[in-house]
Amino acid sequence: MIVRAKAPLRLGLAGGGTDVSPYCDEFGGVVLNATIDMYAYCTIEPTQNGKIEFYASDFKKKYLTHSVNNIPIEGELKLHKGVYNRIVKDYCKDKPLSFKLTTYSDAPAGSGLGSSSTIVIAMLKAYMEWLNLPLGEYDMASLAYEIERVDLGLLGGKQDQYAATFGGFNYIEFFENNRVIVNPLRIKNWIKNELESSLVLYYTGTSRDSAKIIDTQIKNTKHKKEKSLEGMHELKRQAYVMKECILKGDFDGFTECLKKGWEAKKKTSDVISNEQIEKMYKFIINNGGKAAKISGAGGGGFMMIICDPNKRYDLVEKLKNTSGKVIITSFTQKGTQAWTLY
């Protein structure tokens, strides 16, 4: 018996950062995102040898232990250990399991596509399939958030877990007491096709520690830093405006929202952008790009670019001559999925 699961990575289109506490608790947060055909994967192979083996094949990291009901959260593969501990505690009556679990992602950690949270969702989905756990979509995303932010103490927002679970284009609202409402958007096919034809992902070649960036945003919100709060409020406003632009197929409005969102994002923390990113942004605009922004917390990772579809080929060719990596991607409608091989 082999259990497999996958969960889609996401592009943050607008509002990213407003899903982080304490901002969303005090002011309410809004994020507009869309999942793409890049995934995090998990495979579980049950065994009878009384051992637990974790293997992150993309990082070449391995962890092996005897079957126990709680694995100490130290060293590497903390996400794998944290998910296992909660599954055993909440759903197995503290009875240890014996298995091998393998993960990998289409995007590196620190890419800005929500890869860490998406790995957690893929692992949870695989355990759900294997153990037949009765978790709904909201339950699953909430549990993933608790594992990362509470059990493991990792800084970050709430959007990634919900995007990976639900899939598609979502307008997600965040309130105090961890209340979240996911509003799936029904995007017409011609609008989706035009967006895909206009989209280029460019990996800057540098991953970043999102926790450090998020930490500065949290401190700026707590200390009521005027410039940072102004940026957060504008990010939220642009998410609302962009939702209408996407639903109506207003591509000029969408592009303008992306520009304004990127400028607002940079106000929330001094480490969102840097000299290398600004230089790359100018290069993109000078070579056919209409707008661009760093996906995720900022500081590096993937840059999302919108351009005239007629100019995309030429822009991609020019980007290929730089130090980064170009990816052409498509949107996906489905959230996390799992299946079993007997």
Side-chain angles (χ1 to χ4, degrees):
M1 176 186 179
I2 297 174
V3 176
R4 299 196 201 279
K6 67 177 185 177
L9 298 168
R10 61 100 187 103
L11 280 179
L13 301 176
T18 67
D19 58 317
V20 179
S21 297
Y23 181 85
C24 60
D25 303 321
E26 189 170 344
F27 301 102
V30 172
V31 167
L32 177 61
N33 60 32
T35 49
I36 55 176
D37 60 351
M38 295 171 69
Y39 296 88
Y41 302 88
C42 177
T43 296
I44 291 178
E45 300 169 79
T47 58
Q48 304 293 326
N49 60 7
K51 291 182 179 178
I52 297 168
E53 182 180 344
F54 296 138
Y55 180 47
S57 56
D58 43 356
F59 295 108
K60 301 293 185 286
K61 303 291 185 186
K62 189 176 286 189
Y63 177 82
L64 184 64
T65 184
H66 291 290
S67 291
V68 290
N69 61 0
N70 188 276
I71 300 172
I73 305 297
E74 54 193 31
E76 296 172 322
L77 301 184
K78 289 180 181 177
L79 295 176
H80 299 61
K81 296 169 184 175
V83 172
Y84 171 79
N85 288 346
R86 274 302 288 267
I87 289 293
V88 170
K89 175 175 171 282
D90 291 359
Y91 300 101
C92 298
K93 298 179 180 177
D94 278 334
K95 182 182 177 183
L97 302 169
S98 177
F99 63 101
K100 178 182 178 182
L101 182 146
T102 304
T103 59
Y104 67 94
S105 176
D106 287 334
S111 63
L113 302 179
S115 54
S116 296
S117 299
T118 308
I119 279 283
V120 171
I121 290 295
M123 287 192 283
L124 280 177
K125 188 67 174 178
Y127 281 114
M128 285 171 60
E129 176 80 5
W130 177 27
L131 304 172
N132 196 27
L133 304 180
L135 281 171
E137 290 167 322
Y138 278 98
D139 298 326
M140 186 180 175
S142 178
L143 177 58
Y145 175 81
E146 279 184 28
I147 291 169
E148 286 185 82
R149 310 292 176 240
V150 181
D151 298 0
L152 300 177
L154 302 173
L155 293 177
K158 299 182 176 76
Q159 67 159 313
D160 299 345
Q161 297 86 353
Y162 288 86
T165 301
F166 283 81
F169 283 79
N170 289 300
Y171 181 76
I172 312 177
E173 299 170 281
F174 305 91
F175 304 96
E176 60 183 345
N177 300 320
N178 291 324
R179 189 165 70 90
V180 179
I181 297 175
V182 179
N183 304 280
L185 301 184
R186 294 176 62 185
I187 311 295
K188 291 185 172 66
N189 278 334
W190 69 269
I191 296 174
K192 203 182 305 174
N193 287 334
E194 182 68 13
L195 281 174
E196 283 180 358
S197 300
S198 309
L199 179 66
V200 177
L201 285 187
Y202 176 77
Y203 185 56
T204 59
T206 55
S207 61
R208 78 286 180 272
D209 184 354
S210 61
K212 290 180 181 177
I213 297 168
I214 290 164
D215 187 44
T216 62
Q217 290 177 320
I218 290 171
K219 287 175 180 174
N220 288 342
T221 300
K222 283 181 177 177
H223 297 143
K224 299 289 190 289
K225 291 282 181 69
E226 189 177 343
K227 181 183 173 185
S228 181
L229 276 180
E230 184 185 302
M232 295 292 252
H233 294 334
E234 180 64 14
L235 278 170
K236 188 167 67 172
R237 198 178 81 81
Q238 289 306 320
Y240 176 77
V241 176
M242 187 184 279
K243 177 187 73 168
E244 187 173 333
C245 291
I246 284 184
L247 289 170
K248 291 181 176 179
D250 177 1
F251 298 107
D252 288 338
F254 175 86
T255 303
E256 195 60 31
C257 283
L258 208 64
K259 287 180 185 174
K260 288 180 179 177
W262 174 233
E263 292 304 317
K265 184 80 172 174
K266 289 190 282 187
K267 288 183 180 180
T268 65
S269 169
D270 293 336
V271 289
I272 296 288
S273 191
N274 54 46
E275 191 178 338
Q276 181 191 356
I277 291 171
E278 291 301 318
K279 188 177 177 182
M280 199 64 234
Y281 184 91
K282 285 178 183 175
F283 178 88
I284 288 163
I285 299 301
N286 290 337
N287 286 281
K290 287 183 176 180
K293 68 182 281 287
I294 289 289
S295 187
F302 274 92
M303 188 171 263
M304 173 187 162
I305 304 165
I306 293 295
C307 65
D308 182 331
N310 286 338
K311 296 180 179 177
R312 186 167 78 163
Y313 180 85
D314 291 337
L315 175 60
V316 167
E317 289 302 301
K318 285 170 182 171
L319 287 171
K320 284 178 180 177
N321 293 323
T322 66
S323 58
K325 181 182 178 184
V326 179
I327 292 178
I328 300 298
T329 189
S330 300
F331 297 113
T332 181
Q333 281 302 109
K334 290 186 177 178
T336 185
Q337 303 170 68
W339 59 99
T340 302
L341 305 174
Y342 292 98

